[in-house]
């Protein structure tokens, strides 16, 4: 497995199209760490996005979001069962955006070729997250979903209500910190278990 290091040498604020983003600028050595699949890890991007609302749409109907991956907006009435890794079951974005509304974190990936070692890292990450305090019966309000609609060059992402982290490599410490920083930030605290799939 690859190593992860987070040493921030600078921070850039990027604004445009109704969104403000934060990009970490390099590390202390000015280089990127190699990823597990021989990929050179690029600096992750943190973004804070405009609120697109929280309207419900009938399941299965198409939905368009202003940002990719979505961090708010129209979604289906059902949400995804918490504390699971959906690596063989396709989950439409309309379902997991509802999880964001309930204050949860959704970890996304899309790798070509497949990246089973990194998906296992995401599975281990979710299992090691701090226990949920507002909804202890759910253990963790997080899920892992394959998302084939991630932008080019983005293999991994974390999303919360109005916030995202994107990268081409898994960084377990950054992803765990994202969970701690953004859990329970959705407009509707709901401790009920999801019903989809």
């Amino acid at each position: 497995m690859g190593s992860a290091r987070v040493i921030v040498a600078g921070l850039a604020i990027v604004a445009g199209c109704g969104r403000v983003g934060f990009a970490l600028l390099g590390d202390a050595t000015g280089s990127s760490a190699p990823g597990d699949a021989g990929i050179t890890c690029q600096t992750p991007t943190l973004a804070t996005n405009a609120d697109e609302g929280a309207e419900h749409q009938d399941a299965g109907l198409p939905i368009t979001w202003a940002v990719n991956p979505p961090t708010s907006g129209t979604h289906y009435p059902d949400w995804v069962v918490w504390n699971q890794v959906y690596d063989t079951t396709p989950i439409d974005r309309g379902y997991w955006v509802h999880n964001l509304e309930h204050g949860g974190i959704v970890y996304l990936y899309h790798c070509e070729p497949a990246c089973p070692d990194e998906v296992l890292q995401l599975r281990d990450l979710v299992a090691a997250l701090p226990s949920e305090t507002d909804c202890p019966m759910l253990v963790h309000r997080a899920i892992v979903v394959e998302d084939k609609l991630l932008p080019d060059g983005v293999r991994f992402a974390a999303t919360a209500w109005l916030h995202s982290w994107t990268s081409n490599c898994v960084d377990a410490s950054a992803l765990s910190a994202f969970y701690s920083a953004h859990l329970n930030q959705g407009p509707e605290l709901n401790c009920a278990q999801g019903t989809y799939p």
Side-chain angles (χ1 to χ4, degrees), residues 117-135:
D117 292 342
E118 288 141 310
V119 174
L120 181 59
Q121 287 178 15
L122 293 174
R123 180 186 306 272
D124 292 346
L125 167 78
V126 170
L129 290 171
S131 295
E132 173 71 54
T133 55
D134 290 315
C135 301

Side-chain angles (χ1 to χ4, degrees), residues 70-72 100 103-106 158-164 178 182-183 185:
T71 59
S72 66
L100 303 180
I105 308 299
V106 178
T159 56
W161 194 257
L162 307 183
H163 301 279
S164 67
F178 185 91
H182 299 294
L183 182 67
Q185 300 298 312

